[in-house]
Amino acid sequence: MVSRDSLKRVFAQMSPEAQENARQEAKSRRIGVEDVVLEACLDDVQGQLYALRRRRPELRVVEGGRA
């Protein structure tokens, strides 16, 4: 299960630019930074799941938390 603490650790490992972008998005949407990070992680997972539905399933190698 994903916890707020694990999302905070992911946020702490992001580049300063990515952190600032996440902060700005969170502020503009009036949600927590952790929610922005969670959405980004879920988008990556969703992309992988859709990749499996192709005629020739193919997964991408993810390094540093992003593909």
Side-chain angles (χ1 to χ4, degrees):
M1 182 169 186
V2 178
S3 68
R4 292 249 179 232
D5 289 335
S6 63
L7 293 171
K8 286 179 184 178
R9 286 192 301 271
V10 170
F11 179 76
Q13 294 177 355
M14 293 167 60
S15 70
E17 181 181 300
Q19 286 180 355
E20 184 58 32
N21 290 341
R23 281 189 197 103
Q24 288 177 1
E25 183 175 345
K27 184 178 179 180
S28 71
R29 294 175 58 195
R30 295 184 175 146
I31 61 175
V33 173
E34 295 89 0
D35 295 325
V36 173
V37 172
L38 178 60
E39 284 181 346
C41 293
L42 291 175
D43 286 344
D44 287 343
V45 170
Q46 184 178 28
Q48 293 291 335
L49 290 174
Y50 282 124
L52 292 173
R53 296 178 73 188
R54 294 185 190 147
R55 225 176 252 279
R56 291 184 61 211
E58 179 180 311
L59 293 177
R60 295 175 288 142
V61 176
V62 177
E63 294 181 27
R66 302 297 291 182

